[in-house]
Structure formats: structure tokens, C-alpha cells
Amino acid sequence: MLARNRTVGRFTNAKSNTFESDLPEFEPYNKGLEPRGTQDEATKAANLSVLSVDMRVTENKAEHITDKYKNTNLIVRRNKEFTIIIKFDRDFNKEQDNVVMEFLIGSKPDENKDTYITISIGKEKRDVSWKSRVINIQGKDVTVGITPDPSCIVGRFRSFTVVVSDLGKQRTPRNPDTDVYVLFNPWDSADQVYMQKEEDRQEYVLNDVGVIFIGDFSEVSSRPWNYGQFEQGILDACLLILDAAKVPLVYRGNATEVIRQASALLNAQDDNGVLIGNWSGEYSEGTSPTAWTGSTEILLKYAKEGATPVAFAQCWVFAGVLNTFLRCLGLPARVITNYASAHDNTGNLKTDIILDEDGKMDKERTRDSIWNYHCWNEVYMKRTDLPEKFWGWQVVDATPQETSDGLYRCGPTSVSAVKEGELSYPFDARFVFAELNSDVIYHKADKTGKTKIIYVDTAYVGKLTVTKRCNSNEYEDITSTYKYPEGSLKERETMQMAERRGVSIGNYFPLTEAGVDMEVQADVVKMGEDLKLNIKIKNQTTEKCTMSIILTGCVVFYTGVTSSVFKSENKDVTVEPSQTETLQISVQAVEYMRDLVEQSNLLFVVYGHIEELNQSLSSMKVVTLLPPALSIQITGTPQVGKELMVSVEFLNPYNFILKDVQLRLDGPGLIRTKLKKYRQIFPGGSIKFKESIIPLISGKKTLIAVLDCAELRQVTNEIKFEVLKKATVKPVTEEVEKETIEKERVVENVNNNP
Amino acid sequence: MLARNRTVGRFTNAKSNTFESDLPEFEPYNKGLEPRGTQDEATKAANLSVLSVDMRVTENKAEHITDKYKNTNLIVRRNKEFTIIIKFDRDFNKEQDNVVMEFLIGSKPDENKDTYITISIGKEKRDVSWKSRVINIQGKDVTVGITPDPSCIVGRFRSFTVVVSDLGKQRTPRNPDTDVYVLFNPWDSADQVYMQKEEDRQEYVLNDVGVIFIGDFSEVSSRPWNYGQFEQGILDACLLILDAAKVPLVYRGNATEVIRQASALLNAQDDNGVLIGNWSGEYSEGTSPTAWTGSTEILLKYAKEGATPVAFAQCWVFAGVLNTFLRCLGLPARVITNYASAHDNTGNLKTDIILDEDGKMDKERTRDSIWNYHCWNEVYMKRTDLPEKFWGWQVVDATPQETSDGLYRCGPTSVSAVKEGELSYPFDARFVFAELNSDVIYHKADKTGKTKIIYVDTAYVGKLTVTKRCNSNEYEDITSTYKYPEGSLKERETMQMAERRGVSIGNYFPLTEAGVDMEVQADVVKMGEDLKLNIKIKNQTTEKCTMSIILTGCVVFYTGVTSSVFKSENKDVTVEPSQTETLQISVQAVEYMRDLVEQSNLLFVVYGHIEELNQSLSSMKVVTLLPPALSIQITGTPQVGKELMVSVEFLNPYNFILKDVQLRLDGPGLIRTKLKKYRQIFPGGSIKFKESIIPLISGKKTLIAVLDCAELRQVTNEIKFEVLKKATVKPVTEEVEKETIEKERVVENVNNNP
């Protein structure tokens, strides 16, 4: 049957969540030629009707730690009991009455596929995956406890209550209010994504705001991100992602599968995913990747426009939105930043830098690149498909870099398997290993264009891997979870294991025996300031070294892709035996400002040739220029129901006009993303944006501001504060909250006047 | 650079074989402001020109065991030297002259991606992946030996000879005659696909004809298949498959990658692959899957129509064409048939058969199916990405069953990993494991539609796995390479390992403790004959068993998908303690003939209920009906250059007309596929097709005949004979052969008149 119904395309057979095909309200038994019963007769036969079903949404959500979700339906976690109350039209008789509850998901619910769950409430008992028990019978009211299976499908189930009589089944009509969302359960040890520490669950499942680390390993900076997984519409948007790609329901109870699918679905490279990657610098057809404050604006736009990809994203946007998706479904997740991340497109552990005949970098021939930083995600889980030692944190990466098995995706990959060089296990361990362990190979061309390896740097790539610390905005250095220390015995063993698992490890003849080291250093400066580079040359030999140094300075994307070369300088230096000389090279702001591309990274490649030894050295350094300040302030005491004033200010410190400036203000649990547009900000000119907020929920809150324009990227700030409980006695009801959200939506217009 | 050039879609970055971007014939050096040389000046400076390059095609092909390929270009295998002769316009001076040979593949040849290989012939030596040496200098003629790297890219390389002078490079013009195909090398121990035994290589790499086993495990039958990997145009068609799907060149030196890609590319489910799967019984829009004689007709049609998918295929067609692809590229490969192959679409180790209230099979609710047989391929190779114990034969399956990682493909999967239950390793081991190890679960519904498990058969699936024996058309039972014996300790250990690797093993409460066994037996009969079924009931208890038996007979596709139910019979039987009773049920030809679907398989499901124990039993049996005979005969002594008469005869033994009958005659190395069409063959009527052949090559040959129409499938026969060498002295030159092939092509028309 299956084989015959297949048509061309992916998952054509999938029974996704969005297409319902429900059961009839009355279903008579059809026994050959015997007369069938009618609906009336059946009701009479059973002499029992369901008046209402109370899903006990508020109580169950509090129990299931899903009360933060702005969603009026019941949301529960797997393998934890929730209780409902069924009201009948007469007293319920446990021994005689035969009542069944049905939970259906997808267009073709099927008992054998776990998409059609039935539980018995009355006399008949049967084997089911979900457990149930009658907790209490009070006349017409029956309280039932229901426990979804620990590995059941995650998604939105439709529920029906069925009275079974000799003539047939009488079903309650379809009622969206009795739909139940079932999520992964990191609180339950039987769940695949169980996480032991409450502190960890608070951060990796429940924290809806965070920071993502960017910059350079020598100058770690961060930008705030609103994950907003509990905001209205986000849970439905996350399920829509799976439905739009027709991910078969049978996969949706398995975290490994959900994650693997998600890594492909977050990018639009295949399957009309969520985000369109763009590293061109030209974003006028959408929103610049640097302009977003978080995931909610993106996911709501995606859902509103019927699963149309949103423009544009770069790695932290992919990682930020994937993190929302994961936490929203109950998967413990975090965003990782890997500094000096190799992007290897040959499948070998090397990144090739080609210098031309003169020692300057050859942009055309240098195809591999090293990203200043690259962001991916980790999910904490039992990889039941792998040996137990590889459980725990798993890498998943939604940024479209290389095709994994024909689709743009990467992971899940066990972090510990990467550390041990055990690269045979799925998925994409070799790619992650290369991002962390590649060597940088410097080649130099002769006049005929032939290249020769002149220098190998084994320590440049994967120097630092970080993530946000629990309950703090500082970074946690997790490099040691991915790698053994550089030069250690364990590192060599890992490399040998990786080689036995099919990775080509470069075996370079000793190139650096010269005993001369060269290092480039630079201070941190603000964009628009002059800059000093120090080239330190350490001569550890017993002979004098006469060196000619060539420095190439170019503007570079965070992806390591170089733009224009703005500086090229030759210097000669003599270093006496066992001495260190420092060459200082000045870079004026005017030299780089006119060529500056987004994110303000400068790459300096230095080539040095030692005359006496006829040997070459090479080194490089990325300088990240700091953006100007964006100020964000609040006035008034943050308290539920009380007006709070927020003001965001910015001063243009440059001697050029900033055009088409976007300013976003965002705060999960406080406001939806506000966008304000300014046509231009003149040199020395400033803007001030004020907004009034009435907090509705107490607790720790964050407001995030982002300013963005073609001339200036990554200008962000945030403010954290505690919202106090309401002073008056009257509680904030859900009705009130809903109304206010509606009001906000109207206000959320775009103001084009500065 | 990479990240920015990406657009939506798979492998958009691929540099495939078909798009060339070649180098200029003259390439001056560009040294800043120095004056550049002109072409004339460069030639003068070197004072050396290439007159011709002799690829020594005949000698090299004989050495590389590629002489069977009907292709005028040089074809070599990796890591084996081939020799060429370069003729210069003056005596070559090894110390002074600087000559380079370049081998280029793809649209953007790049030294760092191994798509631009250079080797030095003259004074300059450099590091290269391919080795070279000057073997002999005889004045103007230089004989050069070139050895491609053992892991180099497989495909068609363009070659150039370059004279290097101080002013620039002087390149020979593009000449397709000097192109070289590089293949995998099973003869070389450094190659990933090395195979030790010559007998194995003769069969799995060089045999261009074989048989594929079909039928049922109790009645193994076979059909001949023309792999035809050496036929004119087949090698180019195989490379076109990779190019059309834009498989990146960087993957094409790695057998694991090539195989994984191929398993997706052979089917048209994604990527416009080679074959369109069709199990509908309706093939009027193409050729019926049963009508093909082999792969060549399919691959040549695919190539001729610009990589358009060919209609239609079922599993043996997918496996047959994939086998051609693999052997053609030099990968040792064979076709496997797995009898009673589970097609599990839930990811669990069970196949569910649902019986209705009355014990008859419920077609609607039985979604899983067991294929009477399923064909896949095995490739012999080092899986350098896996631990060494999992090297050797690897499963690869091109039939679109389930999506593996989002695409319709399966494998490569290590056969030994499947045997050990080590299912964590890539790719798709769980799916293959389920095909061999699933349990059959019989469920029976009650009147409300609720089902209960009534019987579990753990031995039905994966009873027999076979492949063609080396140098014989008999089958070799390779079941033990996939499974430990049923019931052995090792089998239980394997199941436990599989469970630790994430497979859900069913744990069914003891159902068969009744001590009553039921088995269905049938004799082999021809299609159109009456049939006797024996239902043997063995009562091993100490009590009398009164049983009611329900037999359902339905016509079934080889995929296990059931068509119409043609028989339903109830019988009662009493079996005394420790006795065996046999119920005989007769099936008349008229009962099944009107419902018969292709491939003539009947499925009988028997349900039995034991009154005394209130227990149920179930069993099933597939009966494959034998097709009528097709006769194939030759007259005359087969000898090169001598006319040989072939006649194919068929008599319609039925009382109905056979309509739109296709008769194909095929013989690799003898003729291209001939197709003859007959509008109708009346009851008792016969056809006789005669063809004259002049063999061009001596050796063992096979002629294959296949008759096919909607009423009658799988009617095949073959004849094997030895073609003697030509009696006369004059050798058959390549010119003559070419001409005859051209002539054949004209003859190969379709005759519509009976």
C-alpha cells in the first residue's frame, strides 16, 4: 500500500499536524447484514451523555511548569499525569458505563502508529501507551488522571470523549478548547531529554532571554537575544515548522529526529525553512541579520505569512531561532560560540591561505575561510541510538554551510564523541571536528603560480568555545568539553583515533624549525579610531635574522570572507640572536573607514621572509572594532500594572550621515518587538526613543535595544530589572492580559519620521 | 566567499564534470609593471613545442583491465601506472626543458581540491598527489609513466601538456582524445575497494551479465539481467548521473560517498534520478518493470533524453541498474535478494497484520507489508569511516522505500554491523536490520474495532538471503552473513545489542503456549492450473482441540500489498491430543485467474480459533505461480564474424487473448536490446521471433529473452554459449566494430506488426 501511494518528493506520506481528518460523532457497528443502530438508539442504549470536559488548564499548567506559555490551551509534559474532569448527565457507574477518551494527532490517526491514543475510563480496560486512572467520582463528575507515554509524539493532540454502547460509539464534537499540547519533559528521568539539575533546567529550558557571544577570541563581546519561547503564537509557529516540512509524526517523539529535522528546517536552503541566510551586505529586500532583537519577531512573521521564509539571517540568528524552537518544545538547549571556527569545504583538516608571489594574500585562490566566530546550538539528551558514553550535550547547527547527506544541516553530533575523535557515529561529527581542529596552511606562489607550503599553524583554529553561564550573562569556557589541551598526549591520541575513523590528518614536514616566531598584536579600539599593530618577532636561534615583512590589511566579514584590501606595507627588520624585536605599524581610521563592511572586522596577514635561512613565516590577526554606545534607561519602579518609561538614546559620533536606521526595542514577557525607523542621523546628531510599558507579569525582565543601518552593525544594549508584584489585591486575569496584547499589536506600527 | 555565493538548492556549489572551464593556450606571467611576453616570444624562449601526445589507449587499457569498455578513450584504474608518449619538435633535454602535464576535472579546477593535477616531466619537481616518472627519452619522443593517486577523484579528466618558459606557459589545445577516465581499482591493495581474489573480481567487477533471484523462499526462481557496464555509452551515462545531480567532485574519490549518493540518484523520487518506481500495475506511460532485459536500454535512454527519469522500475530493476553503475565505475558489487523482507514503516521491529472481527485480513488497516522478496545491492569496500571489523560487504538499496535522512536512499550499511546488532553506525543500519529481523504480529479486532494481539510469528521474516554464486547461475545462501541462527544464544545477544542501540524490541506475553501449531503448505503449480492447499494442525497438548478455521485468499503484489480477495472459506476440524490433522482446500484456477495481478502471487492467511482454550492462531503462505515457458534457441556455430540465427518462441496456453505483448532480446557484447511488439496473441496461438547476429568478440556470451504484457509478467529465458575466435587471420579492428554498432543502431527499430 505504502509503496504504491508514493509520489515524487520528500515526506509525501507524512501525516502532519495541520491536516485533520476526524472521526464521526456517531459511529455505528457494522456487523455484516445485521440492522445497524441509529444515533438516537445508541444514546438511549448507553443512557449516558457527556455534558462537558474541564481540562483544568490553570492547575495542570502550573503542575507541568508550562504556565509561562501564553496559550489558552492545556500544555503538558510527557510521562507526567494531568487531571481532567468529565461531567455526565447522570451519575457515573464505574462497573457498567463504558467511556473512552481519544487523543488524535495528524490526518490519519492510527493506533499502530501512536497517532490515535485511546484510554478507558469505564468498565473495559485495554493495553495502551498512555496510562489513565479514575481518581474520583462525585456523582456526575469524574476526575481522570492521564499520563502520556514518556516517548510519545510531541505536538498538539485533539481530544474526544466517547460513550460506548452495544450499538455504537457516541463521540463529543470536535472542540479546540480540549486540545492538548504534549512537550518533551526534562524533569522526568524516563524522558529522553531528562536533565538532573534544577538550575540547568531553569536556564536551558525556561530562560526566555539570553546573550550570544560574538567578536573575536581575544575580545569576546556579546549581544542580547530574546528567545521568547513562551510568547503568544510561538509554540504554534514551532509546530508549523515541522508541519510545513511534512515531518512524519512517527519521528516527532524522538528528540534525535526532531533535532536533525530542525537543523535543516531552520534554514530556507531546502524545504522552505524559516530563515534565508545572507552574507552579502545587501539586505534591502528584508531585515539585516544584525537588526533583530530576538526570535519572536521572526517566528511570528514566518507563521503569519504562511510558512514563508524570513529574510535575513547569519549564524547567531539561526542559532537564536533554533534555540527558541528547542526550548519551546521542551528540549534543553543553549547557544554556543566557537571562535576561529574553520569552515572547511574539502573534507580535510586544513584551511588553506594562499599568498601571492609578493607575500600578499591572494583573495581569489583562498577559498576556505576561518570564521571569526561561528554560532551553533547544543541540546542535552540521551542519544539512545549511540553508546551511553556519547550521551549528554549534542551539537546541532542550522546555519547552511555544507550539505550533510544532501541537505543543509548538521547534527546532532555528540560533543564527547568529537572530543575523543570517535567520528564514525552519526551525524556530521567530521564536520564539527574540522571546525575545531583544522590546521591553517599558508601557501606561497612563485611567479609561475605554483604554490608551496611555507608555514603551518596548528593552534589558530578552535582556540575558544563558549556559552552563556547559568543564571549569569558572563561566558563559560567550554573548550575543554570539545578538545583535549593543545599538545597533550590525549590530543595526539584523539588525532590518531580521528585518522582511524577516516579523517585525513595533514603530515607536514617540519617547517618551523627555523626557531623564529612571529606574532601580531593589537589593542582594542572603537570603530573610527586609529589603531596600532605590533608585530613581535622572536629570534630563538643563535644567528642574526634579516627579515623582510609584508603586511596586508583587509576588511573582512565575520565569516572570514575578505572584502577590499585597504593596506599593504613592507618593512625590513634585523633581529639579533635570542632577541625579540617589535615592529609597530599604524593604521589610520581614514584608511579603513571607507572600505568598512558590516561588523567592522579587520584582518591583517603578515608574511615574513628570513634572508639568512631562506625560510618564510606567516601569521594573521583579526581586529574587531567596537561599535559606538547605545543607551537604554528606565524611569519609574517596575511593577505589575504600573506605567514604566523606557528611553533609548544614540549619538552619531562619525563625520558621515547614518541612513535608513532601524531601532528595535524588545522585551520577552513585557512587550512585543517595537520597530522605529529613522531616515537619517546627521554627524553629531542624536536620536531619543521613548516608550511606555505596563508590565503584566512580575519577575526578572530584560529589555533589549538594537540599532542597525548599512554603515553600522551590531549596536546593541540591554537592561535587566525586577518587576514587582501588583500592589492592589485584584489579580491580573488572563482576560485582561489578552486584551492588552491585542492593544499592543495595534500600536506596533512603523514610524517613518525621525 | 563560499557562504556568499550560496543559493537555494542542493549542491549549488558543485563543480560537476560536464561543465568545463579550461585554461588559456598561452598564459603569460604577470609581474607587476614588467613587460609581458607574447605567445610567439614564449615559444621562442622555450624553443620547444609539443607535436602530439600518444595516450597508448590499447596497451594501457589491456594493462588496466579496462579493454572491455567500448569507449575510444583511455580508461585507467587508480594507483596503477599508465604510460604515454609525448612527441616534441626537437630532442628533449631532461636537464633544461621544463614540461608539465595537467589533468583537470570539473568547471573550476583547483589544486587544493584535487581537481587540478599537475605533474612535472622536465627539470622542476614538485609535490603532487599523482606520481610520474620519465621512462624513456628517444630523441624527440619522451615516454612518461603516470600513476593516479589511490584515492583520487573518479571520472573523466581533461589532459594538457604545457611547456614552461621564463615568459609563460604554452599549453596544448583542448583535445577530447587525450581525455582519461579514472576508475576505482579493486586490483590494488591501496585502493578503498581492493578485493583479494581474482575469481571474485571476475564476477563482481567484470561480469556484465547475471541473474536476479525472485519468487518465494520456498520456490526460488530467477530472471537473467544484462548489466552491460562495458557497452558503448554506459560509462558516460554513469558519470552523467553524478553530474546531473551536481554531486560535488570532492566526494567522487570516496567510495562511501559515491555509493550513498548513487542510492538516492538511481530513483527519481528526489533529484530527477534514473528510474521512476511504479507498483500500480498500470505501466502504459512507460515500460513495465518486468519487461526489461537489463540496464543498458535504461541507461542509454536516460542519457539520450538528457538525464530524464526512465519509466518504470521495481526493486530488481533498481538493483540491476545500480549494479551496472557500481561495476562500471570499478566498484565490486552484487545483487542480493532477501526473501520475506519486512517493510517496516513505523521504525519498530514489527509488521502488523490486522484481522477483522471474523478473522479475515483487514486490508485497510494492515499498513505494513512483507515483500515476498526484496532486492538490494552489496558493495565490497573498506569503510574507512568505521572500525575495521565493519569493513567488507556493505548494503546499498536504491529502491525508494523510506526516506533516509530526508531523501529516498539507504546505505551503505555494513553487513557485519547488521549481524552484530551494532546499529549506531551510518547509514540506515536500523532499516536493514528491520527488513531481516521483524516479527509478524497478528492483531484481531472485536466488534467495536479494538484490536488485540493474538499471535506473534518471529520466524517468518528474513528466512533466506541469497546472491548469485561466482561463475555460476545458482544461488549462494548468504543468510548467515546477516543473521545468527534463529533461537541461538548469539541471536539473543544481537537483539540485546540492537536494543541498546535504540531499536524497540517487542516484548510479547507468551501467546503460543497453547501447544498447537498451524502450517500452510502448497505445491508449486503453473499459472492457470488448479492448486491444493494443506493446512496442517499439530496438537501437542493432552486435550482435544475443536478448531474453527478461516482461510482468506487474496492476490498480492510481490511487495506484499494485497489486491482483491478471491476466496474466503470456513472449516471446522477436531484434532485429538498429540495428533496432526491436515485440512485440504482446493483452489480452482478460475477462482484466481480473473483477479490476477502481475507476478502471479497468491497470499493465503489462515486464522484458527481453538474452542477449548479460547485461543487463536494465525499463519500465512505466499504461493508463486509459475509463468509459461519462453523458448530461446540458436542455430549455427557461434564464431566471430560468422552469422548466427537466434529464435525465440512462445505459445499462449490460456483461454484468453494476450494483448500488447512486448518481446525483448538482449545480449551484452553481442547485440543491443531488440524490441518486438505484438498487438495480440490468441488462445493457443504462438509467436516466433528470429534474429541474425554476427558476433564481434569471442568468449562466453549470454542471450536474454523477456516476454511481457499486462496479463503475464516475468516470462524470461536465457541461453549461454561460447563464441569462438575468428577462423581467418585478419583481426577484428576497432574500426570495423564501430561501424557494425552503427549499423545495428539503424536496425534497432520497433516492429509493430505481429
Side-chain angles (χ1 to χ4, degrees), chain A residues 404-442:
Chain A
S404 159
D405 244 357
L407 295 172
Y408 283 98
R409 65 180 162 190
C410 174
T413 304
S414 161
V415 172
S416 54
V418 168
K419 182 172 182 177
E420 302 299 336
E422 277 280 12
L423 308 181
S424 287
Y425 294 101
F427 300 89
D428 311 310
R430 273 177 204 83
F431 186 77
V432 176
F433 191 80
E435 288 180 308
L436 292 148
N437 290 295
S438 283
D439 293 335
V440 181
I441 318 288
Y442 291 87

Side-chain angles (χ1 to χ4, degrees), chain A residues 674-712:
Chain A
K674 311 261 173 205
L675 169 63
K676 179 109 180 143
K677 293 185 179 178
Y678 301 89
R679 254 201 302 273
Q680 44 196 19
I681 307 176
F682 287 98
S686 67
I687 54 163
K688 185 166 187 170
F689 171 65
K690 283 196 164 195
E691 180 73 23
S692 149
I693 296 174
I694 301 174
L696 297 165
I697 302 163
S698 63
K700 278 184 188 163
K701 296 291 162 203
T702 305
L703 276 168
I704 298 167
V706 172
L707 181 133
D708 196 76
C709 61
E711 296 82 14
L712 200 55

Side-chain angles (χ1 to χ4, degrees), chain B residues 548-565:
Chain B
S548 55
I549 302 277
I550 296 152
L551 173 123
T552 319
C554 48
V555 166
V556 70
F557 291 81
Y558 87 100
T559 56
V561 172
T562 52
S563 175
S564 30
V565 171

Side-chain angles (χ1 to χ4, degrees), chain A residues 6 385 401 405 409 424 561, chain B residues 6 385 401 405 409 424:
Chain A
R6 281 277 162 72
D385 57 329
Q401 293 188 94
D405 244 357
R409 65 180 162 190
S424 287
V561 172
Chain B
R6 280 278 161 71
D385 56 330
Q401 294 188 92
D405 243 357
R409 64 179 162 189
S424 287

Side-chain angles (χ1 to χ4, degrees), chain B residues 86-111:
Chain B
I86 307 173
K87 259 190 200 312
F88 293 98
D89 63 344
R90 65 152 168 80
D91 284 3
F92 185 76
N93 184 328
K94 204 178 171 179
E95 272 65 47
Q96 279 176 11
D97 294 326
N98 188 359
V99 173
V100 168
M101 265 199 94
E102 296 173 329
F103 295 88
L104 277 62
I105 189 163
S107 59
K108 285 190 178 174
D110 182 338
E111 288 178 57

Side-chain angles (χ1 to χ4, degrees), chain A residues 189 332 347 485 508 538 601 736 741:
Chain A
S189 63
Y508 311 103
K538 199 173 172 181
N601 300 304
V736 173
I741 288 164

